């Protein structure tokens, strides 16, 4: 099968980024979101990214126009009836994802691959809500998608070799580096990264150091481009908490217990950069 037409579900930062790299690789893409304003905002973010590329002479105006021409917007899942593949990039919640995959299984063609951009949830469980578990796979893109090279490709228990190879080839067509990962909570990237972030929050919670000091230690001492608390704000503290809860429940080890301060900030609505306040203020 030659994958040529994809639907990306979720018009937020991740979904729009995935739509951009798919279109840049020469494929037609439907950017779908239940809220038309969200998909329109996502298209605006793609356009702004491409304008910067043109200004910096990384792309020509003609290339920008061609990429945008390959992207269409949708608020109806029925528009997935003729796609070769769907990549879901919605909220990190198994109940919501399960309902979505049930619907996609009924709507999409029999040959279509159903992929999830989940950063921590079990692909095997997501696949169980469909009648095509051999064609369900995880594609965990890194943020920001147009810049970051890595895609963790997660095989569920019943993901076929054919599906894996098609998705691996798709990643390479998008000029990404695919890394095969087995289906464990948090996979590799977030099992390591979010544990570090959670420990940084514990350092703040216990008064080991101020927030700026914690971030500077990791930047200057470990050569990280961004401190863990600032990175948590960038990711979204609600997302960080959700992933830590998946790790804690899925692996059953107390070392993955979410820091109480992280829970408190999320309860207060201090979700990071997207809400204007997290460990730092953005207003």
């Amino acid at each position: 099968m030659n994958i040529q037409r994809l639907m990306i579900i979720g018009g937020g930062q991740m979904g729009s980024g995935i739509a951009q790299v798919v279109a840049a690789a020469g494929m037609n893409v439907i950017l779908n979101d239940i809220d038309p304003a969200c998909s329109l905002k996502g298209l605006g973010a793609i356009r702004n990214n491409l304008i910067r590329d043109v200004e910096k002479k990384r792309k020509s105006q003609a290339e920008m126009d061609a990429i945008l021409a390959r992207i269409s917007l949708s608020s109806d899942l029925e528009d997935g009836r003729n796609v070769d593949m769907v990549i879901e990039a919605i909220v990190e919640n198994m109940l919501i994802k399960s309902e979505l995959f049930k619907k996609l299984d009924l709507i999409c063609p029999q040959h279509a691959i159903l992929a999830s951009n989940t950063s921590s949830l079990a692909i095997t469980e997501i696949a169980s809500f469909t009648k095509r578990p051999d064609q369900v796979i995880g594609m965990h893109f890194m943020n920001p998608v147009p810049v970051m090279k890595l895609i963790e490709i997660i095989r569920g228990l019943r993901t076929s070799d054919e599906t894996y190879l098609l998705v691996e080839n798709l990643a390479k067509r998008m000029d990404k580096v695919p890394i095969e990962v087995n289906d464990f909570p948090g996979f590799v990237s977030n099992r390591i990264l979010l544990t570090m972030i959670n420990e940084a929050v514990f350092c703040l919670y216990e008064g080991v150091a101020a927030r700026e000091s914690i971030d500077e230690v990791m930047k200057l001492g470990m050569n990280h481009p961004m401190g863990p608390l600032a990175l948590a704000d960038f990711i979204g503290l609600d997302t960080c908490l959700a992933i830590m809860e998946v790790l804690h429940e899925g692996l059953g080890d107390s070392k993955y217990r979410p820091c109480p301060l992280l829970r408190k900030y999320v309860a207060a609505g201090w979700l990071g950069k997207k809400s204007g306040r997290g460990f730092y203020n953005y207003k």
Side-chain angles (χ1 to χ4, degrees):
M1 182 180 71
N2 188 20
I3 298 173
Q4 286 298 334
R5 185 171 173 81
L6 295 89
M7 175 182 273
I8 312 302
I9 300 179
Q13 190 172 36
M14 294 302 294
S16 62
I18 296 168
Q20 179 179 328
V21 298
V22 168
M27 291 165 279
N28 293 316
V29 56
I30 303 168
L31 180 58
N32 173 282
D33 197 287
I34 193 170
D35 181 0
C38 188
S39 55
L40 196 60
K41 183 179 178 181
L43 182 62
I46 294 170
R47 183 177 288 108
N48 289 338
N49 288 341
L50 294 173
I51 288 172
R52 283 195 295 271
D53 283 345
V54 171
E55 289 173 346
K56 295 180 179 179
K57 302 190 183 305
R58 291 193 292 251
K59 284 183 174 64
S60 66
Q61 183 65 48
E63 288 173 321
M64 171 181 164
D65 293 341
I67 291 169
L68 290 173
R70 296 187 195 107
I71 303 172
S72 60
L73 302 183
S74 162
S75 58
D76 189 350
L77 288 180
E78 292 290 334
D79 292 332
R81 288 198 173 277
N82 297 311
V83 299
D84 301 312
M85 184 173 179
V86 175
I87 303 175
E88 163 271 314
I90 63 170
V91 64
E92 195 73 345
N93 179 291
M94 181 60 81
L95 179 60
I96 296 173
K97 288 186 191 294
S98 67
E99 291 302 316
L100 174 62
F101 273 76
K102 287 177 186 177
K103 292 175 183 177
L104 292 173
D105 192 39
L106 295 174
I107 293 170
C108 297
Q110 289 186 355
H111 73 274
I113 293 171
L114 306 181
S116 175
N117 180 53
T118 178
S119 55
S120 61
L121 298 174
I123 299 302
T124 300
E125 185 176 353
I126 292 172
S128 73
F129 297 105
T130 76
K131 294 180 180 178
R132 60 180 91 189
D134 57 317
Q135 294 165 229
V136 178
I137 197 164
M139 291 185 78
H140 181 209
F141 291 78
M142 303 295 117
N143 192 20
V145 178
V147 175
M148 303 296 282
K149 287 288 189 180
L150 173 67
I151 302 178
E152 284 184 305
I153 302 182
I154 303 99
R155 300 181 67 138
L157 194 60
R158 296 175 64 182
T159 304
S160 69
D161 290 341
E162 179 184 10
T163 296
Y164 176 80
L165 291 172
L166 283 167
V167 172
E168 181 183 58
N169 181 59
L170 175 66
K172 291 176 180 177
R173 286 167 66 188
M174 294 187 290
D175 196 28
K176 302 298 184 185
V177 179
I179 302 292
E180 182 177 356
V181 178
N182 288 321
D183 194 14
F184 280 82
F187 317 128
V188 172
S189 58
N190 279 332
R191 182 168 176 174
I192 295 171
L193 176 64
L194 267 295
T195 305
M196 180 196 72
I197 287 174
N198 193 53
E199 197 61 33
V201 182
F202 266 113
C203 286
L204 181 64
Y205 178 60
E206 295 169 2
V208 177
R211 62 186 183 185
E212 295 86 354
S213 299
I214 293 167
D215 279 353
E216 284 300 299
V217 165
M218 297 306 291
K219 287 164 64 179
L220 300 179
M222 313 303 167
N223 203 28
H224 289 196
M226 182 183 293
L229 298 177
L231 179 56
D233 280 353
F234 181 72
I235 293 169
L237 302 193
D238 52 341
T239 300
C240 292
L241 177 59
I243 294 170
M244 287 308 303
E245 287 175 334
V246 169
L247 290 172
H248 191 212
E249 180 181 351
L251 297 170
D253 193 318
S254 61
K255 71 181 179 181
Y256 299 112
R257 176 175 67 94
C259 178
L261 184 61
L262 180 60
R263 290 191 183 279
K264 184 177 289 188
Y265 274 39
V266 171
W270 296 355
L271 307 181
K273 195 169 184 180
K274 63 185 174 184
S275 70
R277 179 167 183 174
F279 294 111
Y280 295 87
N281 292 321
Y282 298 92
K283 292 180 179 178

